[in-house]
Amino acid sequence: MKNEIRHGGLKFISFVIIDLICIVLSNVIVTHIYLNISHAKYSLEGHLPVIYLMVAVDLIVTGFFNTLARVLRRRKRKEILQSLKHVAISFVILAMVLFTTKSGAEYSRVIVSLAYVCDFFLILGCRYLWKKVLMKIYWTKNNNSALLMTTDSFAEEALEALKKSGGDVKSIFLLDSKGQKAIGGVPVAENIEDAIAVLGWDLAKNVYIYGLDHQMIPDALADACREMKVRIDLVDFKYKIIDVKTVKNDDSRYGSLSFIEGKRDIPFPIRRVYWITETEADLHRGFHAHKLNCQLLFCPHGSIDIILDDGEKKDTVRLDEPGKGLLLMPGLWREMIWNESGSVLCVLASEYYDPDEYIRNYDGFIAYNKGSKE
Ligand code: TYD
C-alpha cells in the first residue's frame, strides 16, 4: 500500500474511500431489503458491528493484497477479476471471523453474503465512474508524460533525446541501476514494480526505451503494458560509437587491456562472439542487415571501415583502435572494408546465429525497414 500511496497519491486514497463507502452502502441496502422481507428480529443498529468489521477487513485486504494496483489503467475484464478477487478475499476473511465465532452466529449470514455480492457490483460501478472522472481531469493535461527505460550508461543522453522529441519524462527505470535516486532531476524507479506503478497510476502515459535490445524489456513491464494498452516506443539511435574501457599500463611493454560487460557497457546480453582474422587488404564483407541482432563491433588490430546504410543515408565509421566500439542496432545495412591486411574484426552479438534473422537482399532490406516503420 505504501507503494500505491507514493505513486498514486490522492488517486489511490480516493479509490480506498470509494471501496469503504461501497461496503457500508451495500450493507445498509441489503440489511434494509432483508429486514423488510424476513421481519427478522435484530435491528440495523444491531448490525453495525458487522459493518465496522467489514470496513476493517476491506482496509486490511487493500493494504496486504494490494488489490488496487494499476486500477486507473486497468482494462474492463481485469477490473472485474480484480474486484471479484478483492471482494472474495474480504468475504473469506470476515467469514472466518464471524461464521466460526459464537458472536458471529448472532448475525445473519445471508445478509453478510448478500452484502458482499452487492458490494462487488457497487465497487465496479463506482470505480468505473470515478475512473472516467479522473481520466477527464488528468488525461488531456499531459499526453507527453513518459516512463523512460534504459541502462545507466545511456540515461543522460536518453533523457536529452526524449526531451528533444517533446517527451516529459516522469520517471526513469534503469536496467542496471546503481541505486541512483534521480537523474537530471527525474526520479529513478527503484524496481520494476515501481516503474509499472508509474503507468498504472497514470503518472506517465507512454513508455520509451532507449538503446535497448528487445530482450532487455522485462516480461513484467511488457505484460503490464499489454494489459494497460500502453505502447512501448523507441527513442533510439541506429548506431553509436562508444569508448571501450581500456587500461594502459605505465610500462608500455605491458600493452593495454580493453573490456566490455554485457548489459552494462552495451545495452544487450552477449549471446555470441565471433571474429574475422587472416584477412587481405581491400577485403569487402557484410552486405546484410539484421532484424533483431544488436552488435558491438571493434577492431583490436588494424583498421576497418564500416559503411552503414539505414535506407536513407550512408555513413562510414572507421574502427582503427582497440578502445573504439561501434554499437549497431537492428535495421542497418552494413558493408565492411579491410584497410590493412591482417586487421581483426571482433563482434559481440545479442542473438544466437540464425540465418533467418539476416536480411541479405538490399531491396528486401528497404522493404523491411519501410514495413517496420509503418
Ligand atoms: P557471413 O555472415 O556470411 O559473413 P559476412 O557477412 O561477414 O561475409 O558468415 C560466413 C559463414 O559463417 C556463413 O556460412 C555462416 C557462418 N556463421 C556461423 O555459422 N555462425 C556465425 O555466428 C556467423 C557470424 C557466421
Side-chain angles (χ1 to χ4, degrees):
M1 196 194 269
K2 231 166 65 194
N3 258 2
E4 306 290 340
I5 293 174
R6 200 167 78 224
H7 293 294
L10 282 176
K11 292 183 204 174
F12 177 78
I13 303 286
S14 67
F15 277 98
V16 175
I17 292 171
I18 282 176
D19 273 13
L20 296 180
I21 292 174
C22 286
I23 200 132
V24 173
L25 257 184
S26 56
N27 222 294
V28 170
I29 294 168
V30 169
T31 311
H32 269 294
I33 295 173
Y34 190 74
L35 288 182
N36 284 340
I37 296 170
S38 69
H39 303 290
K41 2 186 224 319
Y42 55 87
S43 63
L44 182 59
E45 287 72 37
H47 205 71
L48 271 179
V50 183
I51 297 184
Y52 296 145
L53 267 172
M54 282 175 136
V55 167
V57 169
D58 196 77
L59 278 174
I60 290 168
V61 170
T62 309
F64 280 101
F65 296 92
N66 250 338
T67 49
L68 286 179
R70 293 182 213 173
V71 76
L72 217 57
R73 290 277 195 94
R74 222 145 55 192
R75 315 310 298 175
K76 236 180 244 155
R77 201 176 131 264
K78 191 83 184 175
E79 181 65 60
I80 292 172
L81 285 176
Q82 286 298 320
S83 301
L84 201 59
K85 192 173 124 195
H86 180 101
V87 170
I89 296 173
S90 304
F91 177 74
V92 169
I93 293 177
L94 194 78
M96 285 198 310
V97 177
L98 276 190
F99 292 24
T100 56
T101 57
K102 261 191 186 165
S103 61
E106 291 165 17
Y107 302 109
S108 165
R109 290 153 198 220
V110 181
I111 290 184
V112 174
S113 310
L114 284 178
Y116 273 115
V117 174
C118 182
D119 179 45
F120 169 67
F121 289 107
L122 273 181
I123 280 183
L124 264 192
C126 292
R127 277 193 194 167
Y128 181 74
L129 292 176
W130 184 232
K131 254 195 230 184
K132 291 248 160 213
V133 174
L134 286 181
M135 289 291 193
K136 272 233 147 59
I137 299 170
Y138 290 98
W139 193 255
T140 44
K141 275 195 185 159
N142 194 354
N143 275 332
N144 296 329
S145 55
L147 167 72
L148 171 64
M149 195 176 126
T150 185
T151 61
D152 180 47
S153 46
F154 288 123
E156 276 173 22
E157 64 182 69
L159 207 55
E160 267 312 292
L162 198 51
K163 273 185 192 158
K164 242 186 224 159
S165 63
D168 175 16
V169 185
K170 294 289 182 199
S171 181
I172 304 179
F173 177 61
L174 295 176
L175 281 174
D176 55 347
S177 172
K178 296 184 177 73
Q180 304 95 310
K181 293 274 176 258
I183 291 174
V186 179
V188 174
E190 264 174 38
N191 47 44
I192 190 67
E193 284 78 28
D194 276 14
I196 292 169
V198 168
L199 294 174
W201 287 101
D202 200 28
L203 303 174
K205 295 192 194 306
N206 312 295
V207 176
Y208 290 103
I209 60 170
Y210 184 86
L212 287 185
D213 173 36
H214 69 108
Q215 304 169 73
M216 301 282 279
I217 301 172
D219 288 347
L221 181 69
D223 290 347
C225 286
R226 217 170 293 125
E227 182 192 312
M228 294 185 267
K229 291 232 161 72
V230 176
R231 258 175 62 127
I232 299 182
D233 283 320
L234 305 170
V235 257
D236 236 341
F237 51 84
K238 285 276 181 203
Y239 73 89
K240 187 175 282 294
I241 297 161
I242 63 167
D243 287 330
V244 177
K245 287 175 199 148
T246 300
V247 184
K248 279 201 163 93
N249 203 290
D250 289 343
D251 184 343
S252 62
R253 286 175 306 166
Y254 275 80
S256 66
L257 183 150
S258 304
F259 55 91
I260 289 157
E261 292 180 305
K263 295 211 244 179
R264 289 187 176 170
D265 303 315
I266 49 176
F268 57 83
I270 300 165
R271 291 242 155 72
R272 188 164 48 113
V273 179
Y274 59 92
W275 48 96
I276 300 171
T277 53
E278 298 172 42
T279 48
E280 293 291 326
D282 206 31
L283 165 72
H284 289 230
R285 291 191 71 137
F287 307 102
H288 62 247
H290 290 282
K291 294 178 191 166
L292 290 175
N293 200 16
C294 298
Q295 296 175 317
L296 183 84
L297 274 54
F298 58 98
C299 172
H301 175 74
S303 163
I304 300 168
D305 280 345
I306 316 289
I307 303 172
L308 300 167
D309 179 351
D310 66 359
E312 283 164 12
K313 69 177 182 42
K314 283 185 184 183
D315 291 327
T316 302
V317 176
R318 176 157 294 182
L319 296 179
D320 53 3
E321 49 183 296
K324 191 172 178 183
L326 175 61
L327 192 54
L328 299 181
M329 301 309 272
L332 269 179
W333 188 262
R334 81 278 315 265
E335 180 186 344
M336 291 86 102
I337 303 171
W338 268 251
N339 298 321
E340 295 167 17
S341 68
S343 301
V344 176
L345 181 67
C346 291
V347 181
L348 309 181
S350 66
E351 304 284 328
Y352 296 117
Y353 182 67
D354 174 9
D356 293 338
E357 182 273 328
Y358 279 70
I359 308 170
R360 291 192 180 272
N361 172 292
Y362 190 78
D363 291 339
F365 159 69
I366 297 291
Y368 180 83
N369 258 6
K370 232 185 206 163
S372 56
K373 268 182 203 149
E374 277 157 12

